[in-house]
Amino acid sequence: MGIYKGFIRARHNIRAKTARSLLLSSELDAVRVERGLTTRMLADAMNMSPAMVNRMMTGRRVPDPVEIGGLCAVLDVPPERRLHLYGLARESEKKDWLIHTTPSDSDPNGTVRALWSLADAIDTYGVTGGPRVLGNAHVSLGTTRARHVGDAVWTHYLPTRALDRSGGELDPQTKRLVRLARPGGVRVIPDGVAAPFRHPVQVLRFRHFAPVVILDLDHTVVILENEHAEHYVAPLRAAMGSALSADVSQGLVARLWGGGG
C-alpha cells in the first residue's frame, strides 16, 4: 500500500495542532480513502459517531491507543505503520523533533516525505543542490519541470557563490535544480546580502497549519514548529525579498551551469 497516496487529496481538510497530529490524521484519512470507506462507513465499523470519526480524520482530535488499534484493524494498516501511528499519537503534543538518520535511510518512517506531500509551498535554502533528505523519491522529471513536488510549489534559494562552479561534473541533485530553473524554480540571492543560514533549511507552508522548518544536518534531521520555526522563517523571508527575479536567476543558472543535460 502506498502510504502517501492519499495525502494530497486529504490535505486541505486537516486542521491539526501539531505536526505529529497532522501526520497521524493525514495517514489515517489517506488509508480510509484508499480503502474506499466514507466517514460514516468507518464510524459504523468503529461503533462511533460520524462526527467523532470526522474530528479524528481532520486532526481536531487525536485518537487514544484503543481507538488507534481499532482504526488500524478496520483499515488493515500494516503492522510496521501501526507502531509509527501509535508513536505519533503518544507524542502528539510535542512540537519539535530530532530524527536520527543513517546512510541507508535518510528519512525513517517517511516523516519528511509525508510533510512534503502535505505542504502547499516549499521554500528551501542551501549553498549547493536541493534538499538531501527528500531523496528525490517523489520528484519525477515531469513534476520538476512544473516547479512542483506533488502539487506543492517548490522554490530553491541559493547564494551567488554557489553558482561559481568551475569545471567538473554536476551532481545529480544539482542537475535536477538546473532543470528546475528553466521555469524559474531557482532564485539567486545576490552578493552583498547576508547569508541567512550556514546549513540547508527547508520551510514548508500549509493552508491550515503554521509553517514547519526542516534542518538537514548530515545524520540528524531537526523538525521545528511555532516559535522555534519562526527563528528560521523570518530570516529566509528577508533573504527571499532580496533575491533576484526568476528570469534573472534562470539566466545566471543557464550561463554558469549550462543547460543541465
Side-chain angles (χ1 to χ4, degrees), residues 153-206:
V153 178
W154 171 29
T155 306
H156 183 64
Y157 294 83
L158 75 170
T160 305
R161 68 178 185 277
L163 295 173
D164 187 18
R165 301 173 65 104
S166 56
E169 179 69 14
L170 296 180
D171 61 82
Q173 290 187 4
T174 300
K175 286 184 177 181
R176 285 185 174 87
L177 280 177
V178 172
R179 289 194 288 266
L180 182 65
R182 290 173 181 169
V186 172
R187 299 285 300 279
V188 177
I189 299 173
D191 291 333
V193 176
F197 317 109
R198 295 182 179 180
H199 48 74
V201 172
Q202 308 171 26
V203 175
L204 282 59
R205 305 180 191 279
F206 308 83

Short mmCIF file of all heavy atoms in Angstrom, two decimals, residues 153-206:
data_model
loop_
_atom_site.label_atom_id
_atom_site.label_comp_id
_atom_site.label_asym_id
_atom_site.label_seq_id
_atom_site.Cartn_x
_atom_site.Cartn_y
_atom_site.Cartn_z
N VAL A 153 4.28 23.92 -4.74
CA VAL A 153 5.26 24.71 -5.47
C VAL A 153 6.56 24.77 -4.69
O VAL A 153 6.58 25.13 -3.51
CB VAL A 153 4.72 26.14 -5.71
CG1 VAL A 153 5.77 26.98 -6.43
CG2 VAL A 153 3.44 26.09 -6.53
N TRP A 154 7.66 24.42 -5.35
CA TRP A 154 8.97 24.39 -4.71
C TRP A 154 9.84 25.49 -5.30
O TRP A 154 10.01 25.59 -6.50
CB TRP A 154 9.64 23.03 -4.94
CG TRP A 154 11.07 22.95 -4.50
CD1 TRP A 154 11.66 23.66 -3.50
CD2 TRP A 154 12.09 22.12 -5.05
NE1 TRP A 154 12.98 23.31 -3.37
CE2 TRP A 154 13.27 22.37 -4.31
CE3 TRP A 154 12.11 21.18 -6.07
CZ2 TRP A 154 14.47 21.72 -4.59
CZ3 TRP A 154 13.30 20.54 -6.34
CH2 TRP A 154 14.46 20.80 -5.60
N THR A 155 10.41 26.33 -4.43
CA THR A 155 11.37 27.36 -4.84
C THR A 155 12.64 27.18 -4.02
O THR A 155 12.59 27.15 -2.79
CB THR A 155 10.80 28.77 -4.64
OG1 THR A 155 9.54 28.88 -5.30
CG2 THR A 155 11.77 29.81 -5.22
N HIS A 156 13.76 27.06 -4.71
CA HIS A 156 15.04 26.88 -4.03
C HIS A 156 15.86 28.17 -4.13
O HIS A 156 16.06 28.70 -5.22
CB HIS A 156 15.82 25.73 -4.67
CG HIS A 156 17.12 25.43 -3.97
ND1 HIS A 156 17.17 24.99 -2.66
CD2 HIS A 156 18.41 25.54 -4.38
CE1 HIS A 156 18.44 24.82 -2.31
NE2 HIS A 156 19.21 25.15 -3.33
N TYR A 157 16.30 28.68 -2.98
CA TYR A 157 17.11 29.90 -2.91
C TYR A 157 18.57 29.52 -2.62
O TYR A 157 18.84 28.65 -1.80
CB TYR A 157 16.58 30.82 -1.82
CG TYR A 157 15.21 31.35 -2.11
CD1 TYR A 157 14.08 30.58 -1.82
CD2 TYR A 157 15.03 32.59 -2.70
CE1 TYR A 157 12.80 31.06 -2.11
CE2 TYR A 157 13.75 33.07 -2.99
CZ TYR A 157 12.66 32.30 -2.70
OH TYR A 157 11.40 32.76 -3.00
N LEU A 158 19.49 30.16 -3.33
CA LEU A 158 20.89 29.89 -3.10
C LEU A 158 21.71 31.15 -3.36
O LEU A 158 21.30 31.99 -4.17
CB LEU A 158 21.38 28.73 -3.97
CG LEU A 158 21.62 28.93 -5.46
CD1 LEU A 158 22.33 27.71 -6.04
CD2 LEU A 158 20.31 29.13 -6.22
N PRO A 159 22.85 31.31 -2.68
CA PRO A 159 23.68 32.50 -2.87
C PRO A 159 24.41 32.43 -4.21
O PRO A 159 24.63 31.36 -4.77
CB PRO A 159 24.65 32.45 -1.69
CG PRO A 159 24.74 31.00 -1.36
CD PRO A 159 23.39 30.42 -1.63
N THR A 160 24.82 33.60 -4.69
CA THR A 160 25.52 33.67 -5.98
C THR A 160 26.77 32.81 -5.98
O THR A 160 27.09 32.18 -6.99
CB THR A 160 25.90 35.13 -6.29
OG1 THR A 160 24.73 35.94 -6.24
CG2 THR A 160 26.53 35.24 -7.67
N ARG A 161 27.47 32.74 -4.86
CA ARG A 161 28.73 31.98 -4.82
C ARG A 161 28.50 30.50 -5.12
O ARG A 161 29.42 29.80 -5.55
CB ARG A 161 29.41 32.15 -3.48
CG ARG A 161 28.70 31.50 -2.29
CD ARG A 161 29.48 31.68 -1.01
NE ARG A 161 28.89 30.99 0.11
CZ ARG A 161 27.91 31.47 0.85
NH1 ARG A 161 27.43 32.68 0.58
NH2 ARG A 161 27.43 30.79 1.86
N ALA A 162 27.28 30.01 -4.88
CA ALA A 162 27.00 28.61 -5.15
C ALA A 162 27.00 28.31 -6.64
O ALA A 162 27.13 27.16 -7.05
CB ALA A 162 25.67 28.21 -4.54
N LEU A 163 26.84 29.37 -7.46
CA LEU A 163 26.82 29.18 -8.90
C LEU A 163 28.22 29.13 -9.49
O LEU A 163 28.40 28.73 -10.64
CB LEU A 163 26.06 30.33 -9.57
CG LEU A 163 24.57 30.43 -9.25
CD1 LEU A 163 24.00 31.71 -9.84
CD2 LEU A 163 23.82 29.23 -9.78
N ASP A 164 29.21 29.55 -8.71
CA ASP A 164 30.58 29.64 -9.23
C ASP A 164 31.25 28.28 -9.14
O ASP A 164 32.13 28.05 -8.32
CB ASP A 164 31.36 30.68 -8.43
CG ASP A 164 32.73 30.94 -9.04
OD1 ASP A 164 32.92 30.59 -10.22
OD2 ASP A 164 33.60 31.48 -8.33
N ARG A 165 30.84 27.41 -10.01
CA ARG A 165 31.40 26.06 -10.05
C ARG A 165 32.22 25.93 -11.33
O ARG A 165 31.67 25.93 -12.43
CB ARG A 165 30.28 25.01 -10.03
CG ARG A 165 29.38 25.10 -8.82
CD ARG A 165 28.21 24.16 -8.98
NE ARG A 165 28.67 22.78 -8.99
CZ ARG A 165 28.54 21.94 -7.96
NH1 ARG A 165 27.99 22.37 -6.85
NH2 ARG A 165 28.96 20.71 -8.04
N SER A 166 33.51 25.86 -11.20
CA SER A 166 34.38 25.82 -12.37
C SER A 166 34.77 24.39 -12.68
O SER A 166 35.45 23.73 -11.89
CB SER A 166 35.64 26.66 -12.13
OG SER A 166 36.30 26.22 -10.97
N GLY A 167 34.30 23.90 -13.81
CA GLY A 167 34.67 22.57 -14.25
C GLY A 167 34.03 21.48 -13.42
O GLY A 167 33.32 21.72 -12.44
N GLY A 168 34.27 20.25 -13.80
CA GLY A 168 33.74 19.13 -13.05
C GLY A 168 32.30 18.82 -13.41
O GLY A 168 31.58 19.64 -13.96
N GLU A 169 31.90 17.62 -13.09
CA GLU A 169 30.54 17.16 -13.39
C GLU A 169 29.59 17.58 -12.27
O GLU A 169 29.91 17.46 -11.08
CB GLU A 169 30.54 15.64 -13.54
CG GLU A 169 29.17 15.04 -13.82
CD GLU A 169 28.64 15.38 -15.20
OE1 GLU A 169 29.45 15.87 -16.02
OE2 GLU A 169 27.45 15.19 -15.44
N LEU A 170 28.43 18.08 -12.64
CA LEU A 170 27.44 18.45 -11.64
C LEU A 170 26.86 17.19 -11.01
O LEU A 170 26.63 16.20 -11.68
CB LEU A 170 26.32 19.26 -12.29
CG LEU A 170 26.70 20.62 -12.89
CD1 LEU A 170 25.48 21.29 -13.49
CD2 LEU A 170 27.34 21.51 -11.86
N ASP A 171 26.59 17.28 -9.69
CA ASP A 171 26.00 16.14 -9.03
C ASP A 171 24.54 15.99 -9.45
O ASP A 171 23.93 16.94 -9.97
CB ASP A 171 26.10 16.31 -7.50
CG ASP A 171 25.37 17.55 -7.02
OD1 ASP A 171 24.15 17.48 -6.85
OD2 ASP A 171 26.04 18.59 -6.84
N PRO A 172 23.92 14.81 -9.26
CA PRO A 172 22.56 14.57 -9.74
C PRO A 172 21.53 15.57 -9.21
O PRO A 172 20.64 16.00 -9.95
CB PRO A 172 22.26 13.14 -9.24
CG PRO A 172 23.61 12.50 -9.16
CD PRO A 172 24.54 13.59 -8.71
N GLN A 173 21.63 15.96 -7.92
CA GLN A 173 20.66 16.90 -7.38
C GLN A 173 20.80 18.27 -8.02
O GLN A 173 19.81 18.95 -8.28
CB GLN A 173 20.81 16.99 -5.86
CG GLN A 173 20.37 15.72 -5.14
CD GLN A 173 20.36 15.89 -3.64
OE1 GLN A 173 20.62 16.97 -3.14
NE2 GLN A 173 20.08 14.82 -2.93
N THR A 174 22.04 18.69 -8.29
CA THR A 174 22.23 19.98 -8.94
C THR A 174 21.70 19.94 -10.36
O THR A 174 21.12 20.91 -10.84
CB THR A 174 23.72 20.36 -8.93
OG1 THR A 174 24.19 20.43 -7.57
CG2 THR A 174 23.94 21.71 -9.59
N LYS A 175 21.88 18.82 -11.04
CA LYS A 175 21.31 18.69 -12.38
C LYS A 175 19.80 18.85 -12.35
O LYS A 175 19.20 19.48 -13.23
CB LYS A 175 21.68 17.33 -12.99
CG LYS A 175 23.13 17.22 -13.43
CD LYS A 175 23.38 15.89 -14.10
CE LYS A 175 24.81 15.80 -14.62
NZ LYS A 175 25.06 14.51 -15.29
N ARG A 176 19.18 18.29 -11.32
CA ARG A 176 17.73 18.46 -11.19
C ARG A 176 17.37 19.93 -10.98
O ARG A 176 16.38 20.42 -11.50
CB ARG A 176 17.21 17.61 -10.03
CG ARG A 176 17.13 16.13 -10.35
CD ARG A 176 16.49 15.37 -9.19
NE ARG A 176 16.28 13.97 -9.54
CZ ARG A 176 17.19 13.02 -9.37
NH1 ARG A 176 18.38 13.32 -8.87
NH2 ARG A 176 16.93 11.76 -9.69
N LEU A 177 18.21 20.62 -10.19
CA LEU A 177 17.95 22.04 -9.96
C LEU A 177 18.11 22.84 -11.24
O LEU A 177 17.37 23.80 -11.48
CB LEU A 177 18.90 22.58 -8.89
CG LEU A 177 18.50 22.28 -7.45
CD1 LEU A 177 19.56 22.81 -6.50
CD2 LEU A 177 17.16 22.88 -7.12
N VAL A 178 19.06 22.45 -12.08
CA VAL A 178 19.24 23.15 -13.35
C VAL A 178 17.98 22.99 -14.20
O VAL A 178 17.48 23.95 -14.80
CB VAL A 178 20.48 22.60 -14.09
CG1 VAL A 178 20.56 23.18 -15.50
CG2 VAL A 178 21.74 22.96 -13.32
N ARG A 179 17.46 21.78 -14.24
CA ARG A 179 16.23 21.57 -15.00
C ARG A 179 15.07 22.35 -14.37
O ARG A 179 14.23 22.91 -15.05
CB ARG A 179 15.90 20.08 -15.06
CG ARG A 179 16.85 19.29 -15.95
CD ARG A 179 16.29 17.91 -16.23
NE ARG A 179 16.35 17.05 -15.05
CZ ARG A 179 17.34 16.20 -14.79
NH1 ARG A 179 18.36 16.11 -15.63
NH2 ARG A 179 17.31 15.45 -13.71
N LEU A 180 15.07 22.37 -13.04
CA LEU A 180 14.02 23.09 -12.32
C LEU A 180 14.09 24.59 -12.61
O LEU A 180 13.08 25.28 -12.64
CB LEU A 180 14.18 22.84 -10.82
CG LEU A 180 13.15 23.47 -9.88
CD1 LEU A 180 11.78 22.87 -10.13
CD2 LEU A 180 13.57 23.25 -8.44
N ALA A 181 15.31 25.09 -12.86
CA ALA A 181 15.49 26.53 -13.06
C ALA A 181 14.86 27.01 -14.37
O ALA A 181 14.59 28.19 -14.52
CB ALA A 181 16.97 26.88 -13.06
N ARG A 182 14.63 26.11 -15.31
CA ARG A 182 14.06 26.55 -16.58
C ARG A 182 12.74 27.28 -16.41
O ARG A 182 12.53 28.32 -16.98
CB ARG A 182 13.92 25.34 -17.52
CG ARG A 182 15.27 24.82 -18.00
CD ARG A 182 15.14 23.55 -18.78
NE ARG A 182 16.45 23.05 -19.20
CZ ARG A 182 16.67 21.86 -19.71
NH1 ARG A 182 15.66 21.02 -19.86
NH2 ARG A 182 17.88 21.49 -20.06
N PRO A 183 11.81 26.75 -15.57
CA PRO A 183 10.59 27.52 -15.34
C PRO A 183 10.70 28.50 -14.18
O PRO A 183 9.71 29.07 -13.76
CB PRO A 183 9.55 26.44 -15.04
CG PRO A 183 10.34 25.37 -14.40
CD PRO A 183 11.70 25.39 -15.05
N GLY A 184 11.87 28.66 -13.62
CA GLY A 184 12.05 29.68 -12.59
C GLY A 184 11.99 29.18 -11.17
O GLY A 184 11.72 29.96 -10.25
N GLY A 185 12.26 27.90 -10.94
CA GLY A 185 12.18 27.36 -9.59
C GLY A 185 13.38 27.65 -8.73
O GLY A 185 13.36 27.34 -7.54
N VAL A 186 14.46 28.21 -9.29
CA VAL A 186 15.63 28.59 -8.51
C VAL A 186 15.73 30.10 -8.47
O VAL A 186 15.63 30.77 -9.49
CB VAL A 186 16.92 27.99 -9.13
CG1 VAL A 186 18.15 28.55 -8.45
CG2 VAL A 186 16.91 26.48 -9.03
N ARG A 187 15.92 30.65 -7.26
CA ARG A 187 16.09 32.09 -7.10
C ARG A 187 17.45 32.35 -6.47
O ARG A 187 17.81 31.73 -5.47
CB ARG A 187 14.98 32.66 -6.21
CG ARG A 187 13.57 32.48 -6.76
CD ARG A 187 13.29 33.45 -7.90
NE ARG A 187 13.42 34.83 -7.46
CZ ARG A 187 12.46 35.49 -6.80
NH1 ARG A 187 11.30 34.90 -6.52
NH2 ARG A 187 12.64 36.76 -6.45
N VAL A 188 18.20 33.25 -7.06
CA VAL A 188 19.57 33.54 -6.63
C VAL A 188 19.58 34.74 -5.69
O VAL A 188 18.98 35.78 -5.98
CB VAL A 188 20.47 33.80 -7.84
CG1 VAL A 188 21.89 34.18 -7.38
CG2 VAL A 188 20.52 32.56 -8.74
N ILE A 189 20.27 34.60 -4.56
CA ILE A 189 20.46 35.70 -3.62
C ILE A 189 21.77 36.39 -3.99
O ILE A 189 22.83 35.76 -3.98
CB ILE A 189 20.50 35.18 -2.18
CG1 ILE A 189 19.17 34.50 -1.84
CG2 ILE A 189 20.77 36.32 -1.20
CD1 ILE A 189 19.15 33.81 -0.50
N PRO A 190 21.75 37.67 -4.33
CA PRO A 190 22.95 38.33 -4.86
C PRO A 190 24.03 38.56 -3.81
O PRO A 190 23.78 38.51 -2.60
CB PRO A 190 22.40 39.67 -5.37
CG PRO A 190 21.20 39.92 -4.53
CD PRO A 190 20.59 38.57 -4.27
N ASP A 191 25.24 38.79 -4.30
CA ASP A 191 26.36 39.14 -3.41
C ASP A 191 26.00 40.41 -2.64
O ASP A 191 25.32 41.30 -3.15
CB ASP A 191 27.63 39.38 -4.23
CG ASP A 191 28.16 38.10 -4.85
OD1 ASP A 191 27.92 37.03 -4.28
OD2 ASP A 191 28.79 38.18 -5.93
N GLY A 192 26.47 40.49 -1.42
CA GLY A 192 26.19 41.67 -0.60
C GLY A 192 25.04 41.45 0.36
O GLY A 192 24.88 42.20 1.33
N VAL A 193 24.22 40.44 0.10
CA VAL A 193 23.13 40.09 1.01
C VAL A 193 23.63 39.03 1.98
O VAL A 193 24.16 38.00 1.56
CB VAL A 193 21.90 39.57 0.24
CG1 VAL A 193 20.80 39.13 1.21
CG2 VAL A 193 21.38 40.64 -0.71
N ALA A 194 23.49 39.28 3.24
CA ALA A 194 23.99 38.35 4.25
C ALA A 194 23.30 37.00 4.11
O ALA A 194 22.07 36.93 3.93
CB ALA A 194 23.76 38.91 5.64
N ALA A 195 24.09 35.94 4.16
CA ALA A 195 23.53 34.59 4.09
C ALA A 195 22.65 34.35 5.31
O ALA A 195 23.08 34.58 6.45
CB ALA A 195 24.65 33.56 4.03
N PRO A 196 21.41 33.90 5.11
CA PRO A 196 20.52 33.72 6.26
C PRO A 196 20.92 32.56 7.16
O PRO A 196 20.67 32.59 8.36
CB PRO A 196 19.16 33.46 5.61
CG PRO A 196 19.48 32.91 4.24
CD PRO A 196 20.75 33.60 3.83
N PHE A 197 21.58 31.53 6.57
CA PHE A 197 21.96 30.35 7.36
C PHE A 197 23.29 29.78 6.85
O PHE A 197 23.72 30.09 5.74
CB PHE A 197 20.88 29.25 7.23
CG PHE A 197 19.48 29.76 7.33
CD1 PHE A 197 18.66 29.79 6.21
CD2 PHE A 197 18.98 30.22 8.53
CE1 PHE A 197 17.36 30.26 6.30
CE2 PHE A 197 17.68 30.70 8.63
CZ PHE A 197 16.87 30.72 7.50
N ARG A 198 23.87 28.94 7.67
CA ARG A 198 25.11 28.26 7.28
C ARG A 198 24.86 26.83 6.84
O ARG A 198 25.78 26.14 6.41
CB ARG A 198 26.10 28.26 8.46
CG ARG A 198 26.57 29.64 8.86
CD ARG A 198 27.58 29.54 9.98
NE ARG A 198 28.08 30.85 10.39
CZ ARG A 198 28.97 31.05 11.35
NH1 ARG A 198 29.47 30.00 12.00
NH2 ARG A 198 29.37 32.26 11.66
N HIS A 199 23.63 26.37 6.96
CA HIS A 199 23.31 24.99 6.62
C HIS A 199 21.98 24.97 5.86
O HIS A 199 21.22 25.94 5.88
CB HIS A 199 23.21 24.14 7.90
CG HIS A 199 22.37 24.78 8.97
ND1 HIS A 199 21.00 24.86 8.92
CD2 HIS A 199 22.73 25.42 10.12
CE1 HIS A 199 20.54 25.48 9.98
NE2 HIS A 199 21.58 25.85 10.73
N PRO A 200 21.66 23.87 5.19
CA PRO A 200 20.41 23.80 4.43
C PRO A 200 19.19 23.95 5.34
O PRO A 200 19.14 23.40 6.44
CB PRO A 200 20.46 22.40 3.80
CG PRO A 200 21.91 22.04 3.78
CD PRO A 200 22.49 22.66 5.02
N VAL A 201 18.21 24.69 4.84
CA VAL A 201 16.97 24.92 5.57
C VAL A 201 15.79 24.74 4.62
O VAL A 201 15.84 25.17 3.47
CB VAL A 201 16.93 26.34 6.18
CG1 VAL A 201 15.57 26.63 6.78
CG2 VAL A 201 18.01 26.48 7.25
N GLN A 202 14.76 24.08 5.10
CA GLN A 202 13.53 23.92 4.34
C GLN A 202 12.38 24.53 5.14
O GLN A 202 12.23 24.24 6.32
CB GLN A 202 13.23 22.44 4.10
CG GLN A 202 14.39 21.65 3.51
CD GLN A 202 14.11 20.16 3.51
OE1 GLN A 202 12.96 19.73 3.49
NE2 GLN A 202 15.17 19.36 3.53
N VAL A 203 11.57 25.36 4.49
CA VAL A 203 10.38 25.93 5.12
C VAL A 203 9.16 25.41 4.36
O VAL A 203 9.01 25.70 3.18
CB VAL A 203 10.41 27.47 5.12
CG1 VAL A 203 9.09 28.01 5.68
CG2 VAL A 203 11.59 27.98 5.95
N LEU A 204 8.33 24.65 5.04
CA LEU A 204 7.14 24.08 4.44
C LEU A 204 5.93 24.90 4.89
O LEU A 204 5.74 25.15 6.09
CB LEU A 204 6.96 22.62 4.87
CG LEU A 204 7.82 21.57 4.17
CD1 LEU A 204 9.31 21.84 4.35
CD2 LEU A 204 7.49 20.18 4.70
N ARG A 205 5.10 25.29 3.94
CA ARG A 205 3.94 26.12 4.24
C ARG A 205 2.66 25.36 3.90
O ARG A 205 2.58 24.68 2.88
CB ARG A 205 4.01 27.43 3.45
CG ARG A 205 5.32 28.18 3.69
CD ARG A 205 5.40 29.49 2.91
NE ARG A 205 6.73 30.05 2.96
CZ ARG A 205 7.22 30.77 3.97
NH1 ARG A 205 6.44 31.01 5.01
NH2 ARG A 205 8.45 31.23 3.94
N PHE A 206 1.67 25.50 4.78
CA PHE A 206 0.42 24.77 4.67
C PHE A 206 -0.76 25.76 4.72
O PHE A 206 -0.66 26.83 5.30
CB PHE A 206 0.27 23.76 5.80
CG PHE A 206 1.45 22.85 5.98
CD1 PHE A 206 2.56 23.27 6.71
CD2 PHE A 206 1.46 21.59 5.43
CE1 PHE A 206 3.66 22.44 6.88
CE2 PHE A 206 2.55 20.74 5.59
CZ PHE A 206 3.65 21.17 6.31
#
